[in-house]
């Protein structure tokens, strides 16, 4: 129930245009609460799904997508791994006060390059 409530809060924050969580804030969340790592994972899943929906919407409007799944596997459970890998590979590109969704967008762009 606690996890569902956290997920609902994150979804509501995203829907109301709340400011994105920074890399530093995400790390603080992970470290400061008993279930912080789970809450951070839920946040990353929401970011992943939001970015994916944004790309699909832009494609429906005839715009070129920034990343393409093209039948490859992309599941919510992959969000943390994509995020961590991007931060590790491109550590010099990100500062702690940058939005976590910027990291996720970079991860998707680098892992799901458009081939068509």
């Amino acid at each position: 129930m606690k996890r569902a409530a956290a997920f609902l809060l994150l979804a509501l924050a995203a829907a109301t245009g709340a400011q994105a969580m920074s890399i530093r804030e995400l790390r603080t969340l992970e470290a400061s609460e008993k279930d912080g790592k789970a809450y951070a994972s839920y946040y990353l899943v929401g970011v992943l799904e939001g970015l994916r929906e944004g790309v699909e919407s832009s494609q429906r409007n005839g715009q070129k997508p920034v990343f393409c799944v093209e039948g490859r596997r992309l599941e919510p459970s992959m969000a943390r791994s994509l995020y961590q890998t991007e931060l590790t590979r491109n550590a010099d590109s990100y500062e702690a006060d940058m939005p976590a969704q910027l990291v996720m967008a970079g991860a998707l762009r680098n892992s799901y390059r458009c081939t068509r």
Side-chain angles (χ1 to χ4, degrees):
M1 187 66 173
K2 198 174 184 183
R3 289 181 180 174
F7 184 73
L8 179 61
L9 287 174
L10 290 173
L12 287 173
T16 59
Q19 183 177 2
M21 192 179 298
S22 71
I23 297 167
R24 181 187 327 272
E25 290 167 331
L26 192 64
R27 287 178 181 155
T28 301
L29 174 63
E30 288 176 320
S32 67
E33 293 193 33
K34 177 185 168 209
D35 294 325
K37 189 163 185 158
Y39 295 155
S41 292
Y42 290 131
Y43 180 80
L44 291 173
V45 167
V47 169
L48 172 77
E49 291 178 346
L51 290 169
R52 187 171 186 174
E53 177 56 37
V55 162
E56 289 172 2
S57 176
S58 67
Q59 283 182 294
R60 286 190 297 269
N61 293 327
Q63 298 170 332
K64 183 179 177 194
V66 292
F67 67 91
C68 300
V69 177
E70 296 175 338
R72 294 175 279 185
R73 185 173 159 252
L74 178 59
E75 299 172 4
S77 62
M78 299 166 66
R80 175 168 289 283
S81 174
L82 285 164
Y83 177 83
Q84 289 298 114
T85 300
E86 177 67 13
L87 272 181
T88 302
R89 284 186 183 158
N90 299 302
D92 295 342
S93 300
Y94 300 106
E95 296 177 13
D97 292 321
M98 291 179 165
Q101 75 185 70
L102 182 66
V103 178
M104 185 64 75
L108 292 169
R109 194 171 42 256
N110 291 327
S111 298
Y112 292 89
R113 295 181 189 273
C114 297
T115 58
R116 296 178 201 174

